Amino acid sequence: MRRFPASFLVTLIWAAAPLAAQDFVTLKGHGGPIMDIAVSAEGQVATASFDNAVGLWRGRAPTWLDAHAAAVNCVAFDGDDLLSGGDDFAVIAWREGTPMRLGYHKGKVTDVAVSPDGRLIASASWDGTVGLWHTDAPERFRALGNGGLNDVMFSPDGATLYAAGAGGAIIELSVEGDTQRPLVKHGFGVNVMTMDPAGRWLAYGAVDGVTRVVDLPSGRERADFTLDRRPVLAMAHHPATGQLAVGDGQGYIMILDTETWRITRDFRATRQGPIWALAFSPDGKVIYAGGLDDVAYAWPVALLDEYDPIQGPTRSFQRDAENMPNGERQFMRKCSICHTLTPGASRKAGPSLHGVFGRRAGTVPDYLYSDTLTGSDIIWDEDTIDQLFDLGPDHYIPGSKMPMQRITDPQDRRDLTDFLKTATN
């Protein structure tokens, strides 16, 4: 695969000085939850976010990579190249700072992985297929019959793929042939997995809170670290130090020693919300994490027990519904994760709603609209906003970036428009 030129890398590679001092670090700037984190061998950090963007971090300053038309779910480095996949079904390779769309699935892309020799890219999708992308050959899609897929990875020799899915199985399939077999039949959806680089074991995390390790190639159970916390949502492995980090839906990061298979740390990272993303620094001394906040965090592993859980701001959709008028409640639950009410640009997935009444759709400056809304004749008012949520964005403005949602109760829609009339003025 092509590589970024040295001149481009100089502007992006993050010297690890702040982390060498064993500081707690925050990477701020995204406009939505952090869905994935990747760290290159040189220490470059990449973040994927619900705000449709990939962030590349130099110190605490981001460079934004904007090409996805919906939330970005996954990022991975291939040497100096970067790959991403998102809710827009797209798999994108970032080369010399420019996006190159490798192609599309028929459902959201949940993971991307690179073969050990760098020749192949694999992607997992909720359409139930693994995509295989090659620089010199057409893409291939392998349907697995395992429900929507959540994770994919190559074996150390690159000859085998492992795919985990909502159907509760981990499927082993040959890269070049058509053979496949279930390695694990769990019963509950498998969200994440990782593997020993020597190919001795595979660890996975599931919806029911299971963190389990199985031998390869037999699939026999080696260790079980199931706790009363569910679901397991993130994993990161640092082979050189033998650390395996596991993140769950209740905000904990558990770190295992893969030589003794014991829990070495069990850290309450956040007071609210899940851990969706984990990654180690190249030396294994720092763990990065992301979740419901718009911020990625990094802690020195050796000092985890000395930190209190993060108490980030309460997200608008988590506020007590009983303390809000109905119109505000509808906005907080349906709109606030993507839209602000204040003027000016933001990093959120959607444009600001400030001044929306009487505004032509697709005209907020500096926001990258879909082709559907660019040049639209829609004028936002009580009637058009009511129709938007009555029919749903996928029917009222098909092809837009807005996620599929409806407000079926006419009174709820009236209360929402009444709230927006005041709040956006």
Side-chain angles (χ1 to χ4, degrees), residues 217-278:
S218 69
R220 290 192 297 268
E221 183 178 323
R222 175 183 287 206
D224 188 324
F225 299 92
T226 303
L227 302 175
D228 190 23
R229 302 195 298 258
R230 60 190 67 182
V232 177
L233 297 169
M235 278 188 172
H237 180 220
H238 191 264
T241 58
Q243 297 178 101
L244 175 63
V246 180
D248 62 46
Q250 294 175 238
Y252 282 83
I253 300 174
M254 174 177 65
I255 296 184
L256 308 173
D257 183 330
T258 62
E259 295 301 321
T260 62
W261 291 116
R262 294 180 179 178
I263 300 173
T264 59
R265 288 177 176 82
D266 195 27
F267 172 53
R268 180 72 181 269
T270 67
R271 293 190 186 277
Q272 293 188 86
I275 299 295
W276 276 326
L278 288 171

Side-chain angles (χ1 to χ4, degrees), residues 169-388:
I170 298 176
I171 305 296
E172 181 183 80
L173 60 154
S174 61
V175 170
E176 296 300 334
D178 295 324
T179 60
Q180 57 179 269
R181 72 175 181 103
L183 175 71
V184 169
K185 294 181 179 179
H186 181 67
F188 289 86
V190 179
N191 291 327
V192 289
M193 57 185 173
T194 190
M195 182 185 293
D196 169 34
R200 297 172 298 175
W201 53 262
L202 178 148
Y204 68 91
V207 170
D208 60 346
V210 161
T211 298
R212 191 165 290 161
V213 184
V214 298
D215 278 318
L216 290 174
S218 69
R220 290 192 297 268
E221 183 178 323
R222 175 183 287 206
D224 188 324
F225 299 92
T226 303
L227 302 175
D228 190 23
R229 302 195 298 258
R230 60 190 67 182
V232 177
L233 297 169
M235 278 188 172
H237 180 220
H238 191 264
T241 58
Q243 297 178 101
L244 175 63
V246 180
D248 62 46
Q250 294 175 238
Y252 282 83
I253 300 174
M254 174 177 65
I255 296 184
L256 308 173
D257 183 330
T258 62
E259 295 301 321
T260 62
W261 291 116
R262 294 180 179 178
I263 300 173
T264 59
R265 288 177 176 82
D266 195 27
F267 172 53
R268 180 72 181 269
T270 67
R271 293 190 186 277
Q272 293 188 86
I275 299 295
W276 276 326
L278 288 171
F280 281 104
S281 62
D283 60 7
K285 294 181 179 180
V286 171
I287 184 73
Y288 294 87
L292 203 57
D293 291 342
D294 299 347
V295 180
Y297 300 95
W299 296 268
V301 175
L303 303 178
L304 276 180
D305 298 336
E306 300 181 17
Y307 288 94
D308 292 327
I310 295 165
Q311 181 63 62
T314 300
R315 298 301 299 254
S316 54
F317 49 81
Q318 293 180 303
R319 288 171 50 193
D320 185 0
E322 300 303 319
N323 296 328
M324 291 182 280
N326 186 44
E328 183 180 10
R329 183 185 308 120
Q330 297 301 321
F331 171 77
M332 294 303 178
R333 296 290 175 84
K334 297 289 186 178
C335 313
S336 65
I337 196 169
C338 294
H339 299 279
T340 68
L341 298 171
T342 54
S346 76
R347 289 299 314 172
K348 284 186 175 287
S352 170
L353 298 183
H354 183 78
V356 68
F357 280 83
R359 187 171 75 204
R360 186 179 297 277
T363 58
V364 171
D366 301 323
Y367 181 78
L368 183 63
Y369 286 94
S370 62
D371 293 340
T372 296
L373 282 179
T374 301
S376 171
D377 293 330
I378 296 172
I379 303 295
W380 294 122
D381 57 21
E382 295 94 329
D383 291 335
T384 53
I385 292 174
D386 181 86
Q387 290 179 62
L388 173 69

